[in-house]
Amino acid sequence: MIDKRLLKLNFKTFTSAIADLALPRVCVVCGQGLMPEERHICLECLADLPLTRFSAMSHNPMADLYNARIDADFYQYATALFYYSATSPYRKITQALKYHRDFGAGRMFARMLGEELRASGLYADVDLVVPVPLHWTRRLRRGYNQAEIIAREVASALGARMDSRALRRVRRTATQVRLTGKDRAANLAGAFRAASSPALAGAHHVLLIDDVFTTGATLAACYDALRQHIPPEKRISIATLGFVQNG
């Protein structure tokens, strides 16, 4: 006998509920089973998602760290969707995309970031979105670049172009996990190179995308590479899913 609650669901939700019987879906954060109307994250975890709200602030802690690392003629914008902590279960959002190929969850949270940016006047004029690149050997081994997946959704939300070839990682670097901020900058020196392309030359506001902002060393190195082809009067903003508050 079919549960009467299932009869009240629309067709899409009904088929999702039936599929869950064979392959249960779980919340990317807490691991609990999802209800038919939930996607990737349960409503309880979604309600507690530690949003930064930086997209509405021209000056914020992430932007301060970013601007401290770059040599810019004027203050650049920076935002992240949520606060990232190594002890918080919300870290699983970016880890699911980066290490476990959970493209569905990655795209959903990237769309959330893109919608925040679209609603903010600070990013309304972004016309080019550029993902932080992986070295080709790492890209080959992993099979994809998580920053590119995020960038594609953000660009779609903003109605901007996404160019994954604007930046290249020309030198493979050691893992950044155990390096200090100063060592990270040294490790990344000269690691990126920007392409001389019409897309970069014609862009008025470039948005750099990565999955997590820790110290800002990677994004600052990308900024330096892009500045070789983008004049100082044009803005290069950054956006990530996660922001490590004490990075």
Side-chain angles (χ1 to χ4, degrees), residues 36-86:
E37 68 275 12
E38 296 172 333
R39 296 290 180 269
H40 306 294
I41 185 171
C42 68
L43 292 177
E44 186 174 349
C45 288
L46 182 60
D48 290 334
L49 182 65
L51 297 171
T52 69
R53 310 290 185 185
F54 288 164
S55 61
M57 310 174 196
S58 59
H59 287 64
N60 59 64
M62 179 176 169
D64 288 344
L65 289 171
Y66 174 50
N67 280 271
R69 281 194 169 276
I70 60 176
D71 182 16
D73 286 3
F74 57 97
Y75 196 86
Q76 309 294 309
Y77 300 147
T79 189
L81 181 63
F82 64 92
Y83 288 104
Y84 180 104
S85 168

Side-chain angles (χ1 to χ4, degrees), residues 176-219:
Q176 300 272 92
V177 174
R178 293 180 177 83
L179 298 180
T180 64
K182 191 174 183 179
D183 290 338
R184 286 181 182 221
N187 184 45
L188 290 162
F192 299 98
R193 185 174 300 161
S196 179
S197 69
L200 281 182
H204 296 285
H205 187 172
V206 177
L207 182 66
L208 266 170
I209 295 286
D210 206 358
D211 55 348
V212 177
F213 182 106
T214 305
T215 67
T218 299
L219 287 156

Side-chain angles (χ1 to χ4, degrees), residues 52-129:
T52 69
R53 310 290 185 185
F54 288 164
S55 61
M57 310 174 196
S58 59
H59 287 64
N60 59 64
M62 179 176 169
D64 288 344
L65 289 171
Y66 174 50
N67 280 271
R69 281 194 169 276
I70 60 176
D71 182 16
D73 286 3
F74 57 97
Y75 196 86
Q76 309 294 309
Y77 300 147
T79 189
L81 181 63
F82 64 92
Y83 288 104
Y84 180 104
S85 168
T87 60
S88 167
Y90 288 95
R91 73 188 186 282
K92 298 175 185 177
I93 290 173
T94 55
Q95 291 175 350
L97 173 60
K98 187 173 183 177
Y99 301 117
H100 305 300
R101 306 177 70 89
D102 192 341
F103 303 131
R107 292 186 182 106
M108 188 191 80
F109 289 104
R111 285 193 295 272
M112 289 176 63
L113 174 63
E115 288 164 5
E116 277 203 3
L117 294 170
R118 185 177 59 193
S120 169
L122 301 178
Y123 302 90
D125 61 342
V126 167
D127 52 357
L128 183 65
V129 179

Side-chain angles (χ1 to χ4, degrees), residues 113-234:
L113 174 63
E115 288 164 5
E116 277 203 3
L117 294 170
R118 185 177 59 193
S120 169
L122 301 178
Y123 302 90
D125 61 342
V126 167
D127 52 357
L128 183 65
V129 179
V130 177
V132 170
L134 294 176
H135 190 265
W136 70 268
T137 56
R138 189 161 292 166
R139 170 73 182 253
L140 183 65
R141 186 174 72 250
R142 185 174 297 169
Y144 63 97
N145 177 6
Q146 69 277 4
E148 189 173 325
I149 292 171
I150 299 166
R152 186 172 289 109
E153 296 298 326
V154 169
S156 177
L158 291 172
R161 177 177 179 180
M162 194 277 283
D163 189 350
S164 61
R165 298 184 179 182
L167 268 178
R168 289 190 300 122
R169 192 183 290 247
V170 296
R171 181 171 61 81
R172 182 166 181 172
T173 55
T175 180
Q176 300 272 92
V177 174
R178 293 180 177 83
L179 298 180
T180 64
K182 191 174 183 179
D183 290 338
R184 286 181 182 221
N187 184 45
L188 290 162
F192 299 98
R193 185 174 300 161
S196 179
S197 69
L200 281 182
H204 296 285
H205 187 172
V206 177
L207 182 66
L208 266 170
I209 295 286
D210 206 358
D211 55 348
V212 177
F213 182 106
T214 305
T215 67
T218 299
L219 287 156
C222 290
Y223 172 94
D224 290 341
L226 287 173
R227 271 292 176 228
Q228 302 303 310
H229 298 281
I230 298 176
E233 67 272 13
K234 294 185 178 181

